[in-house]
Amino acid sequence: MHVRRWFGSAVVAALLASCSGPGGSVEECIGSYSGTYAGDASGTISATLDMDRELEVSLVSSDGDETTADFTVTSSNTLSRDRGRLDLSGTFDEGACSISGDWTLSSESGTYSLEKVE
């Protein structure tokens, strides 16, 4: 009886762990992201994260202007800019497969949030 109860508890724990969120590792978070940015300007932000932790980002303003830049997600889960005039600072959350922080483009700035597209 005790073995069956322990086994049942282990199965429930495993199921709950698998439902805790979309991520848990960078590998599980690879794919497309979408979200919004706001502040001195606003619009949509999208990104693609690849296996090498490279993040291609695109901001589209409410006027339709698009700005792109490349970043690397560092081993400490922060962003490092590779090229482009857009600057993002922030944190990559492996558990939630999300990225959020601050953006700067020329003299404008604000905050952004990205969630993985399932």
Side-chain angles (χ1 to χ4, degrees):
M1 179 82 139
H2 293 292
V3 172
R4 190 176 314 148
R5 188 174 295 154
W6 177 86
F7 180 74
S9 297
V11 169
V12 170
L15 288 172
L16 289 175
S18 69
C19 295
S20 64
S25 69
V26 173
E27 291 77 21
E28 294 176 87
C29 293
I30 291 170
S32 299
Y33 287 73
S34 67
T36 58
Y37 70 96
D40 295 331
S42 63
T44 59
I45 181 171
S46 60
T48 302
L49 178 66
D50 70 19
M51 189 67 156
D52 295 323
R53 300 176 75 101
E54 300 296 322
L55 187 70
E56 295 179 13
V57 177
S58 172
L59 259 69
V60 179
S61 72
S62 54
D63 298 342
D65 296 329
E66 181 178 20
T67 302
T68 61
D70 294 333
F71 296 85
T72 299
V73 177
T74 67
S75 59
S76 59
N77 288 340
T78 59
L79 300 181
S80 171
R81 182 172 55 189
D82 293 336
R83 67 173 181 83
R85 56 191 188 109
L86 169 66
D87 190 23
L88 299 181
S89 62
T91 305
F92 171 67
D93 181 342
E94 290 179 11
C97 289
S98 65
I99 308 166
S100 61
D102 298 318
W103 63 271
T104 303
L105 179 62
S106 300
S107 62
E108 299 177 321
S109 62
T111 59
Y112 72 93
S113 177
L114 283 161
E115 301 289 329
K116 184 175 181 198
V117 177
E118 294 295 323

